[in-house]
């Protein structure tokens, strides 16, 4: 099991209805994308992290391990905004407006990533997927996502087993052996995953699959008080941002 899934299953917010958590983190995500970057993005990140590290008790170390990859991707991608290509000879030069645009995009994207990761840290996918059909998503799409989610863990387990066997046979002793072992690992994973998908399809057909998988859903109470509490932080962020913009635009 991935670390983020293990954290979601042991989260104190596991018993909170996904709609309430979606309203909280989804509302903060909308604030990060729709409101002016400053001060909306820092406010969104601060509120989301306070909720996560406070009542949700998300491990800061686990969050840092999951967030460093997306944040590094955002940071390296924003570096391209610092330069401009143009002129008569197509020269590369620093863009005077580049730092401001890079900071804006980095702030928005970082705040949005925090909201999405924290929702994943508090909501297992198994609790979310069965409820998506109730809000109008096609059941076929939801089932494809569920099957891919299941096959992901099977593939990762197969990869670990094959890699362990290769390492026991000195498959990674030098660069040449490493390249050969990685190629063999990819080929073995492709074949095993394809065969597993075929067996899964035959198993569903033998069980009378009619286009919809019926699963038991753990019913969670959806209290109006929880929805109100989840809606307050995004509303406060929006109000604080509007007040900041109004004061800044004043005489």
């Amino acid at each position: 099991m991935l670390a983020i899934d293990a954290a979601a299953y042991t989260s104190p917010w596991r018993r909170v209805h996904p709609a309430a958590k979606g309203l909280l983190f989804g509302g903060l995500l909308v604030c990060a994308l729709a409101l002016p970057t400053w001060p909306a993005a820092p406010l969104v990140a601060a509120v989301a992290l306070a909720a996560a590290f406070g009542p949700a008790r998300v491990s800061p170390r686990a969050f840092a391990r999951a967030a460093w990859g997306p944040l590094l991707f955002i940071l390296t991608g924003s570096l391209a905004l610092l330069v401009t290509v143009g002129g008569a000879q197509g020269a590369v030069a620093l863009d005077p407006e580049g730092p401001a645009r890079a900071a804006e995009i980095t702030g928005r994207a970082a705040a949005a990533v925090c909201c999405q990761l924290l929702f994943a840290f508090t909501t297992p996918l198994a609790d979310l997927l069965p409820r998506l059909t109730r809000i109008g998503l096609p059941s076929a799409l939801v089932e494809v996502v569920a099957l891919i989610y299941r096959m992901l863990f099977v593939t990762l387990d197969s990869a670990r087993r094959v890699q362990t066997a290769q390492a026991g046979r000195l498959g990674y002793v030098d660069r040449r052996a490493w390249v050969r072992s990685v190629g063999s690992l990819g080929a073995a994973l492709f074949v095993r995953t394809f065969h597993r998908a075929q067996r899964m399809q035959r198993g569903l057909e033998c069980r009378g699959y009619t286009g919809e998988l019926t699963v038991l859903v753990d019913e969670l109470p959806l209290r109006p008080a929880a929805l109100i509490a989840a809606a307050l932080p995004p509303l406060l962020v929006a109000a604080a941002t509007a007040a900041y913009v109004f004061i800044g635009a004043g005489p």
Side-chain angles (χ1 to χ4, degrees), residues 115-165:
C115 295
Q116 296 176 64
L117 283 178
L118 293 174
F119 179 77
F121 266 100
T122 56
T123 309
L125 200 60
D127 292 347
L128 177 64
L129 287 179
R131 292 178 170 87
L132 293 180
T133 56
R134 301 179 182 178
I135 61 175
L137 266 70
S139 58
L141 176 61
V142 175
E143 289 168 8
V144 168
V145 174
L147 291 176
I148 292 175
Y149 178 70
R150 168 59 182 161
M151 290 298 296
L152 175 64
F153 292 98
V154 176
T155 303
L156 290 176
D157 182 67
S158 299
R160 283 192 291 265
R161 291 174 182 271
V162 174
Q163 188 176 24
T164 301

Side-chain angles (χ1 to χ4, degrees), residues 231-243:
L232 279 178
L235 292 177
L236 291 177
V237 169
T241 304

Side-chain angles (χ1 to χ4, degrees), residues 11-219:
S11 172
W13 282 10
R14 168 77 190 280
R15 303 301 303 174
V16 178
H17 198 282
K21 292 178 284 188
L23 182 60
L24 171 61
F25 294 115
L28 292 174
L29 177 62
V30 172
C31 291
L33 298 178
L35 297 178
T37 307
W38 317 113
L43 285 176
V44 167
V47 171
L49 293 176
F53 299 152
R57 295 205 295 270
V58 175
S59 171
R61 178 177 297 181
F63 176 78
R65 289 178 178 176
W68 76 267
L71 294 179
L72 181 62
F73 177 80
I74 294 169
L75 182 61
T76 55
S78 64
L79 295 178
L81 299 174
L82 300 178
V83 298
T84 180
V85 180
Q89 300 179 352
V92 178
L94 292 177
D95 188 355
E97 300 180 356
R101 289 203 300 267
E104 179 179 355
I105 291 177
T106 301
R108 286 186 185 275
V113 165
C114 288
C115 295
Q116 296 176 64
L117 283 178
L118 293 174
F119 179 77
F121 266 100
T122 56
T123 309
L125 200 60
D127 292 347
L128 177 64
L129 287 179
R131 292 178 170 87
L132 293 180
T133 56
R134 301 179 182 178
I135 61 175
L137 266 70
S139 58
L141 176 61
V142 175
E143 289 168 8
V144 168
V145 174
L147 291 176
I148 292 175
Y149 178 70
R150 168 59 182 161
M151 290 298 296
L152 175 64
F153 292 98
V154 176
T155 303
L156 290 176
D157 182 67
S158 299
R160 283 192 291 265
R161 291 174 182 271
V162 174
Q163 188 176 24
T164 301
Q166 290 177 333
R169 294 173 174 83
L170 302 180
Y172 298 93
V173 66
D174 54 28
R175 182 178 179 84
R176 183 176 180 179
W178 184 89
V179 172
R180 183 174 60 251
S181 297
V182 169
S184 301
L185 174 62
L189 283 181
F190 175 79
V191 174
R192 291 190 180 190
T193 304
F194 185 76
H195 287 168
R196 286 181 185 272
Q198 285 184 325
R199 292 200 301 269
M200 182 181 295
Q201 181 181 0
R202 288 194 296 267
L204 290 174
E205 292 173 351
C206 293
R207 288 169 175 81
Y209 177 68
T210 59
E212 184 176 358
L213 293 174
T214 303
V215 297
L216 293 176
V217 181
D218 189 10
E219 294 297 335

